[in-house]
Amino acid sequence: MQEMTPYQLLGGEGVVRWLAERFYDIMDKEPEVKALRDMHPADLAGSRQKLFMFLSGWLGGPALYMEAFGHPRLRMRHMPFAVNDVARDQWMRCMRQAVDELVVEDWLKEKLLKAFYNTADFMRNC
């Protein structure tokens, strides 16, 4: 029997899209993450779509980002921005809140947040 992917465990496309949308809703409204928000364009539509597409494949669903843009090359794509501990922590604050609002199961929440943290920490470049 094949183990379910996080994409499947979360509920698929609609839920992953909600997670990406909620992440950016939080980032756009919370004054505590202004430095992170300032790294993004005024119109977040493209950022929202790209995060959804990335998360789809990263969580074990359709590789939408790779099909459209090729390998994510996350670290390289983030090099133009000063991603320090503060930026990482602000990003995690937004994602943690979105995950907390979405995921009921503690074991899945812990697994996701650990993976998100490891990825966000890898993005640090200063």
Side-chain angles (χ1 to χ4, degrees):
M1 182 178 201
Q2 189 175 12
E3 187 176 322
M4 290 181 67
T5 66
Y7 181 88
Q8 293 167 317
L9 290 168
L10 287 171
E13 179 181 348
V15 178
V16 173
R17 184 174 296 281
W18 182 94
L19 182 62
E21 291 289 334
R22 185 64 184 130
F23 170 86
Y24 278 109
D25 288 346
I26 294 164
M27 188 187 74
D28 201 31
K29 293 177 180 142
E30 295 293 328
E32 297 85 3
V33 297
K34 183 179 180 334
L36 178 66
R37 176 61 180 96
D38 289 346
M39 291 181 189
H40 291 77
D43 180 356
L44 291 172
S47 299
R48 290 172 185 272
Q49 180 64 15
K50 284 181 178 177
L51 180 61
F52 159 69
M53 294 170 75
F54 171 76
L55 289 178
S56 176
W58 188 75
L59 291 167
L64 304 175
Y65 189 94
M66 285 188 65
E67 291 169 7
F69 305 107
H71 192 282
R73 294 184 177 89
L74 288 180
R75 193 156 163 77
M76 181 194 77
R77 293 184 197 272
H78 288 81
M79 278 298 172
F81 309 98
V83 181
N84 56 19
D85 290 353
V86 172
R88 176 204 57 208
D89 293 347
Q90 288 183 6
W91 193 94
M92 279 303 302
R93 178 187 177 123
C94 297
M95 188 55 77
R96 185 175 297 109
Q97 183 176 335
V99 168
D100 282 345
E101 292 175 13
L102 174 67
V103 181
V104 176
E105 300 88 355
D106 287 339
W107 66 270
L108 181 56
K109 188 181 301 189
E110 183 179 324
K111 179 178 178 170
L112 289 172
L113 290 175
K114 181 178 180 181
F116 279 128
Y117 180 85
N118 289 341
T119 302
D121 192 53
F122 181 68
M123 295 302 106
R124 287 182 306 122
N125 56 29
C126 59

